């Protein structure tokens, strides 16, 4: 498969969405054909699934239902959008991917990393990003930032304990990913973070 698949991970409030928007502009300025999608969502059907997952009224949702809905949304996005775009040689930027499920559902919800890996292998046919950036920010700062920004959705309304578990989850997968995930200090200036991301992407072409 040609093209390049780049994903961005981090706690809610880590600034990943802003970085991705700037990254898209920077890569396009260099002449690349870039597609930016978000998870859960990114396609018509996936966005509908997103609404069900994040609906603040769906309090009784079982954790396994949640995990399967994230992977269902992902399956549609991968097959309808990501794989065809990579085949066309595009750079696909994805705001969250399987790693989010590993840490949110696998670790923080306690379903276990292995079972979430299995479900997602089926959903994505094993599609793995070429490179992943983890924007590292302390859970208490992330939660504060998020609270200031907007009305919180069902997952974001979780408390600091949950954010701490998610953070621990990211640290766990960082140790075992074989170098695919690049940790970036998200406390730095927006511009410094972007430059670090661009340098790592340029290294992929060397
Ligand atoms: P996101 O769209 O990144 O939220 P925001 O744009 O507000 O930062 O993600 C929505 C929520 O879904 C977020 O709290 C993380 C959670 N999530 C999971 O729990 N598992 C997953 O697999 C994904 C992709 C997201």
């Amino acid at each position: 498969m040609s093209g390049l698949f780049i994903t961005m991970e981090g706690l809610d409030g880590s600034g990943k969405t802003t970085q991705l928007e700037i990254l898209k502009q920077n890569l396009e300025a260099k002449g690349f054909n870039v597609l930016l999608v978000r998870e859960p969502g990114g396609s018509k059907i996936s966005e509908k699934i997103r609404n069900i997952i994040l609906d603040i009224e769906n309090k009784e949702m079982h954790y396994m239902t949640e995990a399967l809905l994230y992977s269902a949304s992902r399956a549609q996005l991968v097959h309808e959008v990501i794989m065809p775009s990579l085949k066309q040689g595009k750079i696909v930027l994805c705001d969250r991917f399987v790693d989010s499920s590993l840490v949110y559902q696998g670790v923080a919800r306690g379903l276990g990393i292995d079972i979430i890996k299995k479900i997602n292998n089926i959903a994505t046919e094993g599609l793995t990003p070429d490179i992943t950036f983890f924007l590292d920010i302390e859970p208490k700062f992330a939660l504060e930032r998020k609270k200031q920004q907007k009305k919180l959705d069902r997952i974001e309304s979780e408390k600091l304990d949950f954010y701490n578990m998610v953070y621990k989850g990211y640290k766990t997968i960082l140790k075992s990913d074989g170098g695919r995930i690049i940790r970036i200090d998200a406390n730095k200036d927006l511009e410094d973070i972007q430059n670090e991301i661009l340098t790592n992407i340029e290294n992929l072409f060397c």
Side-chain angles (χ1 to χ4, degrees):
M1 194 179 284
S2 50
L4 197 65
F5 185 28
I6 301 172
T7 60
M8 192 77 71
E9 294 285 345
L11 291 172
D12 307 280
S14 60
K16 60 186 173 41
T17 309
T18 310
Q19 286 296 335
L20 275 173
E21 280 160 6
I22 303 169
L23 181 60
K24 180 173 189 283
Q25 288 169 15
N26 281 331
L27 292 172
E28 281 174 346
K30 289 177 194 288
F32 292 105
N33 198 344
V34 186
L35 178 80
L36 170 58
V37 286
R38 69 164 178 184
E39 277 222 329
S43 78
K44 194 178 80 199
I45 295 170
S46 307
E47 289 290 330
K48 286 188 177 170
I49 301 173
R50 175 187 175 95
N51 290 339
I52 299 171
I53 302 173
L54 299 180
D55 188 341
I56 198 91
E57 286 184 6
N58 287 339
K59 291 198 169 53
E60 71 275 36
M61 189 182 290
H62 192 277
Y63 292 165
M64 185 51 80
T65 311
E66 183 182 286
L68 288 167
L69 284 175
Y70 276 115
S71 61
S73 161
R74 185 166 296 130
Q76 186 64 31
L77 178 67
V78 163
H79 291 94
E80 187 188 332
V81 180
I82 298 180
M83 279 185 178
S85 301
L86 290 173
K87 279 194 188 123
Q88 289 165 14
K90 290 185 186 166
I91 296 186
V92 178
L93 306 178
C94 196
D95 194 338
R96 300 190 179 281
F97 197 58
V98 174
D99 296 316
S100 281
S101 282
L102 297 182
V103 301
Y104 281 80
Q105 282 65 52
V107 178
R109 295 299 201 202
L111 294 175
I113 286 187
D114 286 347
I115 193 158
I116 301 298
K117 260 190 193 158
K118 275 188 200 147
I119 295 169
N120 278 279
N121 259 331
I122 298 168
T124 65
E125 289 181 23
L127 178 70
T128 309
D130 295 293
I131 191 164
T132 298
F133 296 100
F134 166 55
L135 292 191
D136 191 342
I137 185 173
E138 288 276 323
K140 59 175 186 292
F141 297 134
L143 191 59
E144 274 315 306
R145 257 203 222 174
K146 203 74 213 179
K147 275 183 184 161
Q148 284 163 13
Q149 276 172 15
K150 59 163 198 172
K151 197 163 164 277
L152 302 185
D153 65 40
R154 195 175 59 85
I155 307 289
E156 289 160 353
S157 310
E158 296 288 347
K159 301 285 177 302
L160 186 60
D161 281 355
F162 183 78
Y163 271 52
N164 281 330
M165 292 287 282
V166 171
Y167 190 64
K168 201 181 118 214
Y170 274 122
K171 292 282 156 133
T172 306
I173 63 167
L174 256 175
K175 278 188 208 140
S176 59
D177 83 296
R180 169 179 60 86
I181 308 177
I182 310 288
R183 181 197 161 273
I184 309 254
D185 181 353
N187 297 301
K188 288 186 188 168
D189 286 352
L190 203 124
E191 209 182 306
D192 290 343
I193 296 173
Q194 183 68 198
N195 286 337
E196 209 173 322
I197 291 171
L198 280 171
T199 305
N200 277 285
I201 295 174
E202 277 159 14
N203 288 343
L204 286 180
F205 292 107
C206 301

